[in-house]
Amino acid sequence: MQLKEADFISELTRVFGENGLGAMLSKERCEKFFSLTERMLEENEKYNLTAITEPSKIILNHYADCALIASLFPKGARIIDVGCGAGFPTLPLAIVREDLSILAVDSTAKRISYVEESARILGLSGVTTRVMRAEDGAKDENMREKFDFATARAVAELRVLSELCLPFVKVGGKMIAMKGKNAEFELAGAKRAITILGGKDAKIESFELVGGDEVLTRPVVVIKKAAKTPHAYPRAYAQISKKPL
Ligand code: SAM
């Protein structure tokens, strides 16, 4: 599909504007979103990146969705994005917030090679990448409790996700889980896991994403890291998933 840059940028500007995100866009950032879209659609078959291929849907469900959480991070924050897949939320966040330093991790080498190359082509110098399983990486002293924030979108249910993410967050930092309509139910079930892992004061921030006539609720679970995670966690993935805390 031939994507026209002017049409794409006009739709991007409209959707971001409608969602109160317009101030995040500059000419240069619009061009980066356009290049990213061209690249993602070109490489989709090779890397199996996204089921969403219509540019207006990519803008709404990937770019605006990820940009919604940009306001949660203070200037210069150090973030680990766990299970970044095709680079969400890493790449949109890095486009609209050049000050952030984001380590994008995923267990799939192909996707990480795509994210790394995309960040290089777009000149997103705040992004670094690593192929790893989160539960292995969190045992590495160079990464354990070294981040201000751990983010994750569409990776696992909250009990499992807390064990994958909270060990990376330093005391005083936060885990940010971008969730779907089951967020409240998942949070109620994850209270024990969150406490065991050193989390506290978990709450849901409900963002709204406006798309045409629809208003989509985008719940984001924000968990404070109040105490160090005990060394027994994270466990091996089979245990985490079979016997969530
Ligand atoms: N966050 C992206 C998004 O919102 O489009 C990708 C979501 S995709 C459904 C889930 C991703 O999490 C996959 O790319 C998968 O490889 C990765 N993943 C799942 N469990 C993981 C783990 N334990 N460690 C690292 N990556 C993991």
Side-chain angles (χ1 to χ4, degrees):
M1 188 197 341
Q2 187 65 24
L3 192 59
K4 283 211 186 91
E5 182 163 1
D7 294 348
F8 174 86
I9 291 180
S10 134
E11 178 68 1
L12 179 74
T13 310
R14 188 189 69 73
V15 172
F16 270 53
E18 211 179 358
N19 284 285
L21 305 168
M24 290 181 184
L25 293 177
S26 61
K27 184 169 178 290
E28 196 189 338
R29 290 175 182 174
C30 286
E31 286 164 3
K32 286 186 177 175
F33 276 118
F34 177 70
S35 305
L36 176 62
T37 311
E38 272 195 320
R39 188 173 146 68
M40 187 163 66
L41 292 176
E42 272 164 26
E43 305 286 316
N44 199 17
E45 222 166 277
K46 185 161 133 205
Y47 293 102
N48 188 20
L49 300 169
T50 177
I52 302 173
T53 54
E54 199 189 302
S56 63
K57 297 228 158 71
I58 291 176
I59 291 170
L60 182 69
N61 294 298
H62 284 324
Y63 301 161
D65 186 38
C66 294
L68 281 177
I69 64 163
S71 61
L72 297 177
F73 307 106
K75 198 166 172 14
R78 187 161 185 234
I79 302 170
I80 182 166
D81 184 20
V82 173
C84 68
F88 299 113
T90 291
L91 295 172
L93 276 182
I95 292 175
V96 299
R97 291 283 307 270
E98 291 94 348
D99 60 295
L100 299 175
S101 146
I102 310 176
L103 174 62
V105 307
D106 201 282
S107 52
T108 310
K110 259 182 12 172
R111 297 207 179 112
I112 286 297
S113 105
Y114 163 82
V115 173
E116 185 177 329
E117 184 71 354
S118 301
R120 192 187 59 73
I121 291 170
L122 297 178
L124 304 174
S125 55
V127 176
T128 48
T129 61
R130 192 139 168 183
V131 181
M132 69 180 196
R133 294 205 59 89
E135 62 276 20
D136 298 336
K139 297 279 182 203
D140 181 336
E141 288 308 316
N142 294 316
M143 282 183 279
R144 189 178 182 87
E145 295 181 327
K146 293 289 186 290
F147 295 88
D148 302 311
F149 294 88
T151 56
R153 188 183 83 152
V155 175
E157 65 117 329
L158 200 59
R159 284 176 302 171
V160 172
L161 196 61
S162 298
E163 192 164 346
L164 297 178
C165 290
L166 275 171
F168 287 111
V169 182
K170 54 167 85 148
V171 173
K174 287 177 187 158
M175 170 181 157
I176 310 273
M178 301 173 71
K179 283 283 158 194
K181 53 184 184 315
N182 290 334
E184 260 179 55
F185 175 76
E186 285 191 32
L187 179 55
K191 290 250 157 90
R192 180 173 169 269
I194 291 168
T195 306
I196 291 173
L197 295 161
K200 203 181 162 190
D201 295 341
K203 62 172 186 190
I204 296 180
E205 294 220 6
S206 265
F207 291 91
E208 280 184 348
L209 196 55
V210 183
D213 296 337
E214 265 189 301
V215 180
L216 311 164
T217 307
R218 289 291 199 255
V220 173
V221 181
V222 179
I223 306 169
K224 282 189 194 157
K225 181 81 179 267
K228 286 198 163 201
T229 302
H231 275 284
Y233 306 106
R235 299 164 293 160
Y237 193 75
Q239 275 181 291
I240 300 177
S241 60
K242 268 191 214 133
K243 286 193 172 181
L245 289 171

